[in-house]
Amino acid sequence: MPLIRLKHRIALGFVVLQLLLAGLGVLSVIFIDRAAQGTAELYRHAYTTSHALGEVRNRIFEIKSILAHNMAFPGQSEPNYWIAEVRRHQEIIEQNLAATAGDDAPGLDLQAVQAAWPPLKTFIDQNVDAISSGNIDAGHDFFHRHGNWVFDHVVETITDVMIAANALASERVGTSETLRQELRETVIAVIAVALISGGLISAILTMAITAPLARLRSAMHHINEGDPTSVIPDTERSDEIGDMARDLELLKQEAWEKRRTQLKFATIFEASPDIVTISERDTGRFLDVNGGFETYLGHKREDVIGHSSFEFGIWASPDDRAALVTALMQQGRLVNFQSRAKRKNGEIFDALVSVEQFRVDDKDCMIFVARDITQFKRQEELLRRSLAELERSNRELERFAHVAAHDLQEPCRTICSFSQLLDRSDGAVLSAEGREYLGFLSRGAIRMREQIQGLLDYSRAATSPAPFQSVDLDQVLDWVLDELRTSLSEHQAAIHRQPLPVVRGDPAQLRQLFSNLISNGLKFQSHGNQAQLSISAKATQNFWDIAIADNGIGIDAPFQDGVFDLFRRLHGPEDYPGNGLGLTIAKRIVERHGGTIGLQSQLGHGTTIHFTLPAGAARPSA
């Protein structure tokens, strides 16, 4: 059975408490209403009726006194004044009688009071008229004959009713006291029930909420203390406590992952041999520096924390610092930015600086990583000078090879020419051995001339550059096949070609490249074999991959790595003539165009040469 969710249990507890309090409240309202009614009745009879009748009686006495005074001492009082006083007392009497007219309390004969007043009022009016008209004797006689009885009858009637009202009030006081006692008991009972209910609900909430929360709080304390073995309780619950426990478990895992990351960072930060600093972005004040900072710059960590690099003069000059700040503002981060720094002893060194911005503890911060590259700069300068010297030496060597090859051509031509003249003029008189020697001399001179021509071609491949332009390789292939038509015919060659692209390059060198590779494909064939050549192209990123495949004798695996070396021959000149420079020149041409060259071959199964050339403009539509 699934556990009731915590919010439902709390809601149910509050509903029960509200119903209980509502019931107690209804009972309290009932008792309070009864007490209020009793109190209202008490005030109504003990105070309202009794007070009103007492006021009526007092006003009657006042009127009687005024009439007696004016009869005994006529003329002493202003007529308008004492008559007005009589009338005022009469109005008050009538108002109080009107106030008691609606009282229907049992035992109060208020009708008798109401009936006794009109005769008395008439009697009073008659006496006022007699006194005001000067008929004092008649009025005095009438007052003494009837006045005492009329006044005393009304006063006695009022007194009887007041006695009855006071008796009723006393009875009501007892009832009110009883109701107040019941109200006190009810309130005490409500408070007791509320306290008991509150205690029960508190105990339930403690068991359902407070105790689990205390366990979770203890687990969180262990997590904050760095205890990796802490176990989060109540993760199996299906209510909100369980949700909180599972969230805390995730928080624990994230906290430990963060702690491990911080530990890794701290380890790298301290173990790094480079200069590493963390500073505020806006003020430049150092928040932390590593040991490399102290080692390379000579400043102690406790001295620089809270201060900026500008205060300690860490930069070689203000311009170096300004250049770095400008680059950082433009790029947002720096990677391998070259600058100069200054040690505490004043020594200036070259540094490679990387800067990354980040936010921590609501602060925009930066981490600087700087490496002393003074030694690298020295090595770089030495390497630059060595490369410059090597380039100069290579240029001189190539110039020497070009000049030497050019100068050696003349003796070779002389040897070849005079050997041929000697054979034609005196060949018949030479012995068989002499003619053989003459043949060796002639063939050696011809091979030397070919080698020298190859050297010149090799030298031109690098020393005679021409501006690159768009070159249609289909046109280059057409030109080469036309130049090699005799050799193609001799080998009965079949050419299988695919459309070739437009590339960027030197047209003359590309023609030489295709001529050398296709010539090799024709030359290195088994005796009597029909040559089959395939030329294709495939696009790669910004380059074209050209493939020239043949069905020739192939190259054995151990010798494939050296076939592009200078004067490398795998066969004797009597088997396959040539100077051993064809592939070497091809490699130099490809590399001059920024490409690469390689081969795939299997002995007896042909060779495929792959090389790449930079892509040119798209071929125009026909």
Side-chain angles (χ1 to χ4, degrees):
M1 180 179 178
L3 189 65
I4 301 176
R5 300 287 289 182
L6 184 61
K7 62 180 181 180
H8 296 151
R9 282 186 278 170
I10 295 175
L12 180 61
F14 277 111
V15 168
V16 172
L17 180 60
Q18 288 173 353
L19 291 175
L20 181 61
L21 293 178
L24 295 175
V26 170
L27 293 176
S28 300
V29 168
I30 293 173
F31 282 103
I32 290 172
D33 184 62
R34 290 178 58 190
Q37 288 180 357
T39 304
E41 289 294 328
L42 173 64
Y43 274 91
R44 177 181 177 188
H45 296 288
Y47 294 100
T48 305
T49 302
S50 181
H51 177 74
L53 293 178
E55 187 68 19
V56 169
R57 187 176 61 179
N58 292 336
R59 297 300 175 178
I60 291 174
F61 287 149
E62 289 290 335
I63 293 174
K64 183 178 180 181
S65 176
I66 292 172
L67 293 176
H69 176 78
N70 281 281
M71 286 183 182
F73 305 100
Q76 288 188 1
S77 301
E78 180 67 28
N80 294 332
Y81 172 75
W82 68 266
I83 294 174
E85 280 296 304
V86 171
R87 298 291 182 242
R88 185 174 68 83
H89 289 311
Q90 286 179 328
E91 290 179 359
I92 294 174
I93 290 171
E94 291 178 350
Q95 291 173 358
N96 282 277
L97 291 175
T100 61
D103 192 352
D104 56 352
L108 298 182
D109 191 8
L110 293 175
Q111 295 295 328
V113 177
Q114 296 289 341
W117 167 246
L120 179 58
K121 182 175 183 301
T122 302
F123 176 78
I124 292 171
D125 291 340
Q126 290 175 351
N127 281 275
V128 169
D129 292 339
I131 294 172
S132 60
S133 63
N135 194 3
I136 300 301
D137 293 336
H140 189 271
D141 181 65
F142 182 74
F143 182 83
H144 282 285
R145 282 189 294 107
H146 302 286
N148 289 331
W149 181 85
V150 173
F151 276 100
D152 292 343
H153 174 69
V154 173
V155 169
E156 290 175 0
T157 301
I158 292 174
T159 301
D160 292 340
V161 174
M162 289 180 64
I163 293 172
N166 290 332
L168 182 60
S170 298
E171 180 183 351
R172 296 290 184 176
V173 168
T175 304
S176 178
E177 286 297 329
T178 302
L179 291 176
R180 281 198 295 270
Q181 181 64 28
E182 292 178 354
L183 178 59
R184 282 193 296 269
E185 294 174 355
T186 302
V187 170
I188 293 173
V190 169
I191 293 174
V193 172
L195 291 175
I196 294 172
S197 301
L200 291 175
I201 292 176
S202 176
I204 294 172
L205 291 178
T206 299
M207 295 176 59
I209 302 176
T210 308
L213 289 179
R215 292 194 295 271
L216 292 179
R217 182 178 179 276
S218 176
M220 184 176 293
H221 176 73
H222 289 302
I223 292 174
N224 292 333
E225 290 294 323
D227 183 6
T229 62
S230 60
V231 178
I232 307 301
D234 300 318
T235 55
E236 73 284 352
R237 294 176 57 151
S238 59
D239 57 0
E240 288 84 352
I241 296 295
D243 295 339
M244 293 174 62
R246 287 185 288 273
D247 290 340
L248 186 58
E249 177 66 29
L250 294 177
L251 182 63
K252 182 189 80 170
Q253 296 175 5
E254 293 175 358
W256 278 109
E257 184 63 29
K258 184 178 180 180
R259 190 182 297 271
R260 284 193 292 268
T261 302
Q262 290 174 343
L263 182 60
K264 291 178 184 177
F265 175 79
T267 303
I268 296 172
F269 183 80
E270 287 299 331
S272 174
D274 297 328
I275 300 170
V276 184
T277 69
I278 299 176
S279 59
E280 294 181 0
R281 188 189 67 180
D282 297 331
T283 63
R285 290 196 297 266
F286 289 118
L287 299 176
D288 199 2
V289 298
N290 74 332
F293 181 93
E294 297 179 317
T295 302
Y296 280 103
L297 297 178
H299 297 284
K300 295 296 182 182
R301 175 181 300 181
E302 57 269 18
D303 295 335
V304 299
I305 297 298
H307 300 277
S308 67
S309 60
F310 187 76
E311 296 177 53
F312 283 84
I314 290 175
W315 300 105
S317 69
D319 293 339
D320 292 305
R321 180 179 181 275
L324 185 141
V325 171
T326 301
L328 181 61
M329 292 177 62
Q330 292 175 348
Q331 303 176 24
R333 62 192 298 263
L334 295 180
V335 177
N336 294 337
F337 182 84
Q338 291 195 21
S339 186
R340 296 184 307 155
K342 185 166 61 176
R343 308 186 204 277
K344 187 177 181 179
N345 60 9
E347 179 185 352
I348 295 176
F349 64 95
D350 294 302
L352 205 61
V353 182
S354 296
V355 184
E356 192 70 48
Q357 301 187 61
F358 64 99
R359 188 170 181 83
V360 61
D361 296 334
D362 295 328
K363 290 182 180 179
D364 292 322
C365 301
M366 297 184 296
I367 181 168
F368 281 73
V369 179
R371 175 172 296 177
D372 184 356
I373 59 170
T374 304
Q375 187 64 28
F376 293 103
K377 294 285 284 187
R378 292 172 183 168
Q379 294 176 356
E380 183 182 14
E381 179 62 21
L382 180 61
L383 180 60
R384 186 188 64 78
R385 293 178 181 178
S386 299
L387 289 175
E389 180 65 22
L390 182 60
E391 289 179 358
R392 184 189 62 78
S393 177
N394 285 338
R395 286 195 299 270
E396 290 181 355
L397 183 60
E398 289 174 353
R399 187 161 52 250
F400 170 78
H402 179 77
V403 171
H406 185 272
D407 292 343
L408 286 175
Q409 277 189 323
E410 183 60 31
C412 284
R413 282 195 297 266
T414 300
I415 295 173
C416 290
S417 297
F418 280 97
S419 296
Q420 292 172 0
L421 289 175
L422 181 61
D423 183 46
R424 286 197 296 269
S425 63
D426 298 321
V429 299
L430 291 175
S431 64
E433 188 177 7
R435 284 195 299 273
E436 183 179 3
Y437 292 160
L438 183 60
F440 288 156
L441 178 64
S442 178
R443 288 192 298 274
I446 291 173
R447 285 198 301 273
M448 180 178 291
R449 185 176 62 184
E450 290 175 350
Q451 296 281 11
I452 292 171
Q453 184 60 44
L455 282 174
L456 286 174
D457 292 339
Y458 180 76
S459 177
R460 291 193 193 100
T463 59
S464 301
F468 283 3
Q469 62 187 37
S470 295
V471 180
D472 188 342
L473 292 185
D474 274 330
Q475 295 180 2
V476 170
L477 181 58
D478 291 340
W479 185 90
V480 170
L481 294 179
D482 184 63
E483 287 292 312
L484 298 177
R485 59 183 178 275
T486 302
S487 181
L488 291 171
S489 177
E490 289 176 356
H491 293 86
Q492 298 179 352
I495 305 298
H496 307 283
R497 55 186 293 180
Q498 296 180 4
L500 299 181
V502 175
V503 298
R504 295 285 297 172
D506 180 346
Q509 289 191 351
L510 293 180
R511 287 194 291 268
Q512 185 176 8
L513 170 65
F514 273 79
S515 179
N516 287 4
L517 297 179
I518 293 175
S519 295
N520 277 1
L522 296 174
K523 179 169 56 176
F524 293 101
Q525 294 282 339
S526 299
H527 182 69
N529 188 42
Q530 181 187 10
Q532 302 280 341
L533 277 77
S534 298
I535 300 107
S536 61
K538 180 176 64 176
T540 60
Q541 187 175 9
N542 299 325
F543 280 84
W544 282 97
D545 186 353
I546 314 298
I548 299 179
D550 63 57
N551 62 337
I553 60 175
I555 303 172
D556 201 3
F559 305 105
Q560 291 179 8
D561 292 337
V563 294
F564 293 101
D565 294 342
L566 196 65
F567 296 122
R568 175 58 63 93
R569 296 179 58 88
L570 302 181
H571 308 280
E574 63 279 0
D575 297 323
Y576 298 100
N579 53 25
L581 291 172
L583 290 179
T584 306
I585 294 172
K587 180 180 180 182
R588 172 162 283 201
I589 292 173
V590 170
E591 290 178 346
R592 181 178 176 263
H593 285 71
T596 58
I597 188 170
L599 62 81
Q600 294 174 339
S601 183
Q602 186 177 358
L603 188 63
H605 295 280
T607 301
T608 300
I609 303 290
H610 289 275
F611 58 93
T612 59
L613 296 173
R619 185 185 302 277
S621 302

